[in-house]
Amino acid sequence: MAQKIAHGVHSMDDGSIITFPYDDAFDWSRRGFIPPNIAIHQVDIAAVQQFPIGTKLVRDDATYRYVEFQEATVAGDLLERGAIDAAHDVMDFGVAAAGTTTLECDDSKTFVLNEYAGGRLTVADDTGQGYDYRILSNTAVAGATGAQFVIQAPGLAVAIDATSDIVVTLSRWKEVLKGNTTIAGSFVGVSKGVGADGSFGWAGTAGIHAVLTDNTSPVLGQGVTASAATSGAVAKALLTEATPNTFIGPLLGYVVDVGASAGYSLVDFIGPG
């Protein structure tokens, strides 16, 4: 039976579990009901968002997230987070008491409407430091003060003031990039279809997924990391010769089936889920 789209956890007819995050920025009326079968390999090139960013689908032994692409990808490409906007790295949000849910930026900045919905507002230094808060929405400004950010209730755990260094970061699932040979951001997942800048689709984030393999010949049962030679690919996880030995890059998962060099291997990814 068709289920109306609303935030929360829903069971699908095929046994999948889909979770819609609370998202003030999403037009919930755009798609009134959950489709009976989620087409994970379909990417909306027309840039019409069908589900809230970060929607989670669990199907058998694999987990998927609904993402927004920032550049061209193909199925099996490794994905990573976009780089943090340096202009939004350290800002002044003035004085706000504990419990406040609407915060205002006192610096002259440019923000796009709700670009940070689902992201994090972090107090990186000074008063209130060490706390991070989920962003529900933000207003748009162009080279001006007064941008407002709404964070999830119950709001600030402790007060902030003009000394507090505020950093805002996008949702992990927004404006994702094809994996770079020099890592620009943390691992997101594996593209499940052909994407383009501004399009929406699914990424495999945990469990078993096919992924591009470079020419380092991964070994069955052993670990893989992001390739330093081929964009969007994984490579055999190598160790430095040190005491103790450490992986050169972050360990992403373990090989289930070894594909041909420059082909695609099955990897059991360990996160982020």
Side-chain angles (χ1 to χ4, degrees):
M1 184 173 66
Q3 301 180 66
K4 188 173 178 59
I5 287 183
H7 64 84
V9 180
H10 303 261
S11 298
M12 309 287 289
D13 290 343
D14 64 358
S16 302
I17 302 294
I18 191 165
T19 305
F20 298 112
Y22 186 86
D23 188 350
D24 277 349
F26 179 68
D27 180 4
W28 292 91
S29 66
R30 176 175 296 155
R31 188 165 196 169
F33 294 90
I34 305 170
N37 294 294
I38 303 292
I40 59 170
H41 299 294
Q42 179 180 351
V43 174
D44 192 346
I45 301 299
V48 178
Q49 184 182 345
Q50 299 296 319
F51 305 105
I53 297 297
T55 292
K56 181 179 182 179
L57 176 68
V58 179
R59 179 178 288 169
D60 297 326
D61 57 0
T63 302
Y64 308 85
R65 292 281 190 158
Y66 191 72
V67 303
E68 179 189 13
F69 296 97
Q70 193 178 7
E71 61 184 5
T73 67
V74 298
D77 274 347
L78 195 68
L79 302 172
E80 65 183 20
R81 292 185 71 146
I84 294 174
D85 188 336
H88 302 161
D89 197 17
V90 177
M91 296 174 289
D92 176 10
F93 272 57
V95 176
T100 300
T101 56
T102 300
L103 307 174
E104 187 169 301
C105 181
D106 286 353
D107 291 340
S108 182
K109 299 289 182 180
T110 296
F111 294 102
V112 175
L113 180 65
N114 291 328
E115 67 176 310
Y116 283 102
R120 286 288 188 274
L121 183 149
T122 303
V123 185
D125 199 10
D126 294 314
T127 303
Q129 66 186 12
Y131 290 92
D132 66 272
Y133 306 94
R134 184 172 185 265
I135 300 169
L136 298 182
S137 63
N138 69 269
T139 59
V141 297
T145 61
Q148 292 188 335
F149 286 74
V150 178
I151 61 174
Q152 191 152 8
L156 293 176
V158 296
I160 61 171
D161 60 29
T163 69
S164 306
D165 290 342
I166 306 296
V167 177
V168 292
T169 51
L170 293 171
S171 162
R172 178 197 293 269
W173 319 113
K174 194 166 189 176
E175 298 183 11
V176 300
L177 303 171
K178 180 177 180 177
N180 290 280
T181 52
T182 300
I183 297 174
S186 57
F187 169 69
V188 168
V190 179
S191 179
K192 304 308 293 186
V194 177
D197 184 12
S199 65
F200 300 88
W202 294 92
T205 57
I208 297 174
H209 301 282
V211 63
L212 181 63
T213 306
D214 72 5
N215 59 3
T216 57
S217 300
V219 177
L220 187 66
Q222 294 191 8
V224 294
T225 188
S227 172
T230 304
S231 296
V234 296
K236 180 167 60 176
L238 301 175
L239 293 171
T240 60
E241 293 185 7
T243 305
N245 291 335
T246 56
F247 287 109
I248 292 174
L251 183 65
L252 302 181
Y254 298 91
V255 178
V256 174
D257 182 70
V258 180
S261 176
Y264 292 81
S265 297
L266 279 178
V267 171
D268 190 355
F269 287 94
I270 57 180

